[in-house]
């Protein structure tokens, strides 16, 4: 079985450590980045199978920007994106209803923070199995 590679981009270093531990304990290879710039470097260099993106990092919409750029890049257009964020708490907008909208929120799935490990693993598994 080939180990799937997951890139997590989030500015919360404690969350990165926790998510990485959860995913690595379930046999995923995990890369982390704290912002869009570092995320793109890892994306281009490592070619992950899935990206998990926060929205609010260096700017309040950086994750949305990165998701749009990923889906416009021919090399990564088919890579699934999971948005994992607490922006709904801040804005009051139900972003999960807009997931997969290519212009507004080009992510394949959306989960509000905090996330339970089982929910995260289920979404990751679903997105990676859809890819095959």
């Amino acid at each position: 079985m080939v180990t799937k590679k997951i890139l997590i981009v989030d500015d919360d270093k404690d969350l990165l450590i926790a998510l990485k531990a959860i995913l690595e304990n379930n046999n995923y290879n995990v890369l982390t980045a704290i912002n869009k710039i570092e995320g793109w470097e890892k994306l281009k260099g490592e070619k992950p199978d899935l990206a998990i993106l926060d929205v609010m990092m260096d700017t309040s919409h950086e994750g949305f920007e990165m998701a749009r750029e990923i889906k416009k890049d021919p090399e990564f257009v088919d890579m699934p994106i999971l948005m994992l964020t607490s922006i709904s708490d801040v804005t009051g907008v139900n972003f999960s209803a807009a997931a997969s909208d290519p212009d507004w929120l080009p992510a394949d799935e959306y989960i509000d923070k905090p996330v339970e490990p089982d929910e995260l693993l289920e979404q990751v598994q679903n997105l990676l199995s859809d890819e095959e």
Side-chain angles (χ1 to χ4, degrees), residues 112-128:
D112 288 312
K113 289 179 184 174
V115 62
E116 292 295 323
D118 290 343
E119 181 183 6
L120 174 69
L121 291 168
E122 180 181 341
Q123 289 293 344
V124 165
Q125 185 177 22
N126 288 341
L127 288 168
L128 289 173

Side-chain angles (χ1 to χ4, degrees), residues 15-109:
L15 182 66
L16 285 176
I17 291 167
L19 295 177
K20 184 174 182 173
I22 292 165
L23 293 167
E24 286 182 341
N25 285 335
N26 285 273
N27 300 315
Y28 293 105
N29 181 359
V30 180
L31 311 162
T32 61
I34 60 167
N35 58 33
K36 183 174 88 168
I37 293 168
E38 188 177 318
W40 266 108
E41 289 172 7
K42 301 256 175 111
L43 190 74
K44 290 287 192 179
E46 299 287 336
K47 313 252 187 300
D49 300 295
L50 168 71
I52 299 175
L53 308 177
D54 185 19
V55 173
M56 299 179 293
M57 293 179 279
D58 289 344
T59 69
S60 63
H61 54 278
E62 187 170 323
F64 289 148
E65 290 173 357
M66 186 167 184
R68 285 187 203 104
E69 291 170 17
I70 289 170
K71 292 299 185 178
K72 287 180 181 176
D73 188 313
E75 188 173 6
F76 300 108
V77 68
D78 294 325
M79 183 184 68
I81 298 173
L82 172 63
M83 300 299 292
L84 177 61
T85 184
S86 59
I87 194 169
S88 292
D89 291 343
V90 174
T91 65
V93 175
N94 178 5
F95 287 92
S96 61
S100 296
D101 180 310
D103 296 317
W104 199 70
L105 180 54
D108 298 281
E109 289 295 337

